Every structure is written in C-alpha cells, then in structure tokens.
Amino acid sequence: MSPRILINGAKGRMGQALASAAPELGLAISVAVDVGDDLAAGLAKADVAIDFSAHSATRTLLEAAVAQKKPVVLGTTGHGAEEKKQLLALAAKVPCVWAGNFSVGVNLLFALTRRASAVLGSDYDAEVVEMHHRFKKDAPSGTAARLLEIILEERKLTAQALRHGREGITGARTPSEVGMHALRGGDVVGDHTVMFAALGERLELTHKASDRGIFARGALRAAQWVVGQPPGVYDMQDVLGLK
Ligand code: NAD
C-alpha cells in the first residue's frame, strides 16, 4: 500500500514539484504543511514526512518525527557544520534519508568524483563550480558541499583546504587547496562542475538540472524506500543501491 506522505514546505518551489510528481509515481500527498500550520497534528495523519523548507525548520521536524516514531526524508540544505552534527544525532533515532541532492545523475556524479579524485591525485587541481537561481538562500549548495567533502576525503584533507572564491593577491595555487565558486542568477535549477586541472590536460565532470521534477521524483522514491527501514541516517546512494 502507498505510504501517506506529508510535505513540510508545501507552498515552496520543491513542495509544488513534489505535489506534481507524486501522481506520476502513483502516490498522493496526504498532508501539506507550511509556515504557521500544525506540524505535529499533520504528522499524526502521515506515514512519512518529506522536508524541503528552511534549515531553521529541521530541528522542529525531527523532534516531532522522533516523538511520533515517523520516518523522514530531509532535502533542506544550508545547515552549518555544528548544527548538522546535532541534527544528525536526532535524525539517527528514526529511519531518515538525508540528501543534499535527490537526482540520480548527481548521485552518479558523486561516485565519479570519488573515482576521479582517487585516480588523479593531488597533481590535478580540484575546483568545484555551481550555479543556481537568484532566489537560492544558501551557498555553496548542499550538492557542492557534498562534492567538496568527497574530494577532501579522497585527498585526506580537512575543511581548512577549502578556498571559497578568490580575490586580491592570492599567490600561486597550492596543491593542497580545493576551490569553490558559487554563481547565482536567473532561473537556473542547478548546475555543478567538478574540475581536475593539471599541466597539459583538464577533466571536467558536469551535471545540469533543468527541471525540479528530478529532485521531487528522487525524494518520493526515498520516501517509499525509507518506510519500514530500521532507524538510522541513510542517503540516496542507499536508496539507489549505489553503495
Ligand atoms: P522555497 O523558498 O521555494 O520554499 C520553502 C518553503 O518552506 C516556503 O513555502 C516556506 O514558507 C516554507 N517554510 C519555511 N520555514 C518553514 C517552517 N518552519 N515550517 C514549514 N514550512 C516552512 O525553497 P525551495 O526552492 O523549495 O527549496 C527548499 C529547500 O530545499 C532549500 O533548502 C533548498 O536548498 C533545498 N533543495 C534541496 C534539493 C535536494 O535535492 N536536496 C533540491 C532543491 C532544493
């Protein structure tokens, strides 16, 4: 039987994309929650919650999910490192899929970035460039943050290696730095490029999203998958069987 789905952030761009994608997958949205609505009462009528709202709303959602032992799918981005650490501890108490990007193509990009980082090594300068629509509130995107994490993990570097934009007399680039550049404008749904540049050649891995439906369909697939899983934090690689 299809799970009863609650959307938190229902009036937003992603909330609307979820509502349009659900019927394509034979699903229905049972409860739509946005600012000012009673989340706990809504959750009591749902089997799973999907959250695409604001980073400041994640704690309240997780507390309600833990209290009612309901699985959640978290798509909201923009959490600080410390904030995320605390939220992960809470999220682990229920079945939770947490992904900075729900598209299948981007999840393959994560796997390709890991492979390229491992094969090419520190002789190839790694830089990440992302572009999103003018309304996006956080930077870099959750997807870019995950790409950076993967590169840092493979190169055994810490977040201190990151260079967010460059300006002024920066000096020559060092092999241990990883550059990050966030562009904003227009209605761009989400572009991500990971660049590996050496003397004489450059490899670029690019993903371009042109329709929010890809995130919505992935999140709905995650919602179906997470119902019935044991408590713990999962990602799209688990849902897609890419691990
Ligand atoms: P949006 O601004 O269009 O919509 C957000 C909605 O959440 C609004 O309707 C707002 O009123 C509502 N909201 C804010 N605070 C709330 C609260 N406390 N309780 C309930 N509702 C609340 O934003 P969007 O483009 O739909 O994106 C939402 C989030 O999802 C962002 O963090 C964005 O980066 C992220 N996102 C993630 C993915 C992914 O694949 N993980 C894809 C797209 C967007």
Side-chain angles (χ1 to χ4, degrees):
M1 217 173 70
S2 302
R4 292 171 303 162
I5 298 173
L6 173 146
I7 301 179
N8 196 39
K11 292 185 181 160
R13 280 174 287 263
M14 276 305 298
Q16 290 172 36
L18 284 160
S20 349
E24 289 170 32
L25 302 177
L27 297 169
I29 304 305
S30 305
V31 190
V33 173
D34 208 282
V35 173
D37 296 333
D38 187 342
L39 172 66
L43 197 55
K45 295 183 211 139
D47 300 313
V48 57
I50 305 183
D51 177 60
F52 283 89
S53 59
H55 77 100
S56 51
T58 308
R59 174 169 289 281
T60 310
L61 174 76
L62 284 175
E63 283 171 353
V66 170
Q68 298 189 30
K69 296 193 171 52
K70 296 282 169 87
V72 290
V73 173
L74 283 180
T76 301
T77 62
H79 307 93
E82 185 52 35
E83 186 186 16
K84 184 154 183 183
K85 206 168 127 194
Q86 292 176 11
L87 293 171
L88 279 170
L90 203 53
K93 295 181 182 176
V94 289
C96 172
V97 178
W98 193 333
N101 195 306
F102 282 92
S103 105
V104 175
V106 160
N107 280 279
L108 183 58
L109 175 67
F110 291 151
L112 294 173
T113 298
R114 188 175 292 287
R115 180 92 180 108
S117 302
V119 171
L120 298 174
S122 59
D123 202 30
Y124 286 70
D125 301 326
E127 300 270 318
V128 175
V129 182
E130 58 106 323
M131 180 161 188
H132 282 82
H133 53 88
R134 64 168 70 145
F135 307 105
K136 186 161 175 64
K137 297 185 184 77
D138 55 310
S141 68
T143 306
R146 182 68 195 125
L147 289 166
L148 292 169
E149 258 173 30
I150 292 169
I151 297 165
L152 294 179
E153 280 164 23
E154 286 301 323
R155 297 209 168 163
K156 308 210 174 356
L157 296 169
T158 68
Q160 287 191 331
L162 299 178
R163 296 287 171 274
H164 290 273
R166 291 190 183 81
E167 192 187 28
I169 312 295
T170 55
R173 192 188 192 287
T174 65
S176 62
E177 63 192 69
V178 180
M180 173 66 233
H181 313 274
L183 318 182
R184 291 290 173 268
D187 59 357
V188 177
V189 173
D191 294 355
H192 292 88
T193 294
V194 185
M195 242 174 246
F196 296 93
L199 302 181
E201 66 174 348
R202 181 164 88 237
L203 174 69
E204 294 185 6
L205 303 173
T206 294
H207 178 271
K208 294 188 180 190
S210 50
D211 183 342
R212 277 182 189 81
I214 56 163
F215 310 126
R217 285 189 287 278
L220 289 164
R221 195 162 156 180
Q224 287 175 291
W225 180 87
V226 79
V227 174
Q229 295 292 333
V233 181
Y234 305 94
D235 60 20
M236 267 315 265
Q237 314 271 315
D238 294 303
V239 176
L240 299 170
L242 286 173
K243 278 190 174 161

